[in-house]
Amino acid sequence: MTPALTSTSSTRFSVLDRSRTRENHTAPEALRDTVQLAKDAERLGFHRFWVSEHHGVPGVAGSAPTVLAAAVAAATRTIRVGTGGVMLPNHRPLIVAEQFGVLESLFPGRIDMGLGRSVGFTDGVRRALGRDKDDADDFAGQLEELLSWFRGTSPTGVHARPSEGLTVPPFVLAMGEGADIAARAGLPMVIGDLRDRDRMRRGIDRYRAGFRPSAWAEEPYVVVSGTIAVAATPEEAHRILLPEAWAMAHSRTHGTFPPLAPAEEVERRTMTARERGFYEAGLTGQVYGTEEQVAHELESLIKETGAQEILVTTSTYDREALLDSYTRLARIAGLG
């Protein structure tokens, strides 16, 4: 019998897909895979489906999250759709407000606005975007300007159409000081990753301690994000993690994030000591195992963090194994 979460039955479960490219598969195929996964996530009963923003990254096809979110929303009927996230320093807040205003107008009551403060992956990407690392320093001001377009309070006297007067729930992706920014703005916070639980707990505590109620949220709302892999055996679940762990190790040692390789190919690769260190670190602390094992670990994670929602960010080469993992997770969470 499949174990179900008990004391955490009110916890929401959602999906973030990064549109990861795979060896010998095209970027357009990765985008179509994301749309198909959204349809599967809706069928399985997940609460949200989010897409991400990356530029100039060989291993990620998702460079235009609001465009991809529109495709996802058009292909689904009930699941909430959003971004995890739009990187606000890369864009003018008015343009972001207009894009989400259009999304909310086309798909009313289903759109989320997840916002991050990262700028390009490399110096070359940042130059191409016309940005530099310092642009992330004014994230709080950019966030306030963005929200002002929905409230119609911009000091410019300009009005964002069709955004003004619409309600598109904003979320802050918290890395470092992001927790403080989310708290001061009174917004829900998305925080990870599961590999550094102590740092994550400190961020959550800081967020809750500094939270100021706002028109967007009366109380703190914590979304914990991370990789979760479920399979028939612990070994099969562990294999789901291997392609992403290798891609991360490669990016840390070669400066470029590659397409995902099959798990069996990763297992055969010879790694330098430095690559092996990053690879093993990428496998440490993730939630994986059988349904019973993952149910137990999720119970502990949710009690430990008090999270109202879990955002699952798993990527792997084997799409069938990925769908099976989400199917088993939905069973554990009592979705559907």
Side-chain angles (χ1 to χ4, degrees):
M1 181 176 178
T2 299
L5 295 174
T6 53
S7 62
T8 54
S9 59
S10 62
T11 306
R12 291 166 167 165
F13 281 79
S14 300
V15 176
L16 166 65
D17 191 66
R18 294 191 176 90
S19 302
R20 294 287 276 111
T21 58
R22 298 179 290 158
E23 288 186 0
N24 301 315
H25 294 265
T26 66
E29 186 178 353
L31 295 172
R32 291 191 292 269
D33 285 342
T34 290
V35 175
Q36 180 58 52
L37 183 60
K39 294 163 70 173
D40 292 328
E42 179 176 74
R43 173 179 54 82
L44 291 170
F46 286 91
H47 183 62
R48 309 179 204 275
F49 190 93
W50 283 6
V51 297
S52 62
E53 175 181 343
H54 296 273
H55 300 283
V57 179
V60 182
S63 56
T66 53
V67 177
L68 185 52
V72 167
T76 54
R77 295 185 304 106
T78 57
I79 195 169
R80 296 195 64 86
V81 176
T83 56
V86 164
M87 297 299 131
L88 199 48
N90 293 339
H91 311 279
R92 292 301 308 162
L94 171 61
I95 302 301
V96 176
E98 290 173 336
Q99 290 172 345
F100 279 98
V102 169
L103 284 170
E104 177 62 21
S105 298
L106 293 173
F107 308 102
R110 292 180 57 205
I111 301 300
D112 300 320
M113 187 166 55
L115 306 161
R117 64 189 295 270
S118 297
V119 287
F121 187 66
T122 65
D123 289 338
V125 170
R126 286 189 286 272
R127 284 195 300 272
L129 290 169
R131 298 291 186 266
D132 57 44
K133 290 182 179 180
D134 293 341
D135 287 313
D137 293 342
D138 191 35
F139 178 66
Q142 295 159 351
L143 182 61
E144 175 58 29
E145 181 183 345
L146 171 61
L147 299 181
S148 77
W149 291 114
F150 288 94
R151 296 190 298 258
T153 57
S154 171
T156 64
V158 176
H159 296 273
R161 308 293 185 202
S163 314
E164 189 172 312
L166 296 180
T167 299
V168 182
F171 295 73
V172 172
L173 278 61
M175 298 297 291
E177 69 174 294
D180 297 322
I181 293 172
R184 289 194 299 269
L187 299 180
M189 177 186 72
V190 182
I191 190 167
D193 62 42
L194 300 179
R195 291 171 297 180
D196 192 342
R197 303 287 177 92
D198 288 340
R199 182 185 179 195
M200 185 177 68
R201 283 194 301 269
R202 288 195 300 271
I204 292 171
D205 291 344
R206 195 165 66 246
Y207 166 70
R208 289 196 174 113
F211 185 84
R212 301 174 185 172
S214 71
W216 303 98
E218 294 181 358
E219 298 178 346
Y221 189 90
V222 174
V223 182
V224 169
S225 68
T227 295
I228 300 172
V230 197
T233 67
E235 293 76 19
E236 289 177 61
H238 187 256
R239 284 171 62 82
I240 291 173
L241 305 178
L242 303 186
E244 187 71 30
W246 164 248
M248 184 62 68
H250 188 277
S251 73
R252 298 293 297 273
T253 53
H254 293 78
T256 182
F257 205 70
L260 296 174
E264 56 271 20
E265 184 179 316
V266 172
E267 290 175 313
R268 291 194 300 265
R269 285 186 172 165
T270 301
M271 303 183 196
T272 67
R274 189 162 180 261
E275 287 171 338
R276 177 67 63 179
F278 285 123
Y279 175 69
E280 292 179 352
L283 295 170
T284 302
Q286 310 287 23
V287 175
Y288 73 92
T290 64
E291 291 175 45
E292 183 176 2
Q293 289 170 326
V294 170
H296 176 74
E297 193 160 351
L298 285 175
E299 286 277 8
S300 298
L301 174 67
I302 294 168
K303 288 178 181 177
E304 183 182 344
T305 62
Q308 286 97 332
E309 187 168 341
I310 303 295
L311 180 66
V312 187
T313 63
T314 310
S315 296
T316 195
Y317 181 91
D318 187 336
R319 301 297 296 187
E320 290 185 8
L322 182 65
L323 179 57
D324 180 66
S325 177
Y326 276 119
T327 301
R328 291 173 183 275
L329 177 59
R331 254 197 320 259
I332 294 169
L335 306 181

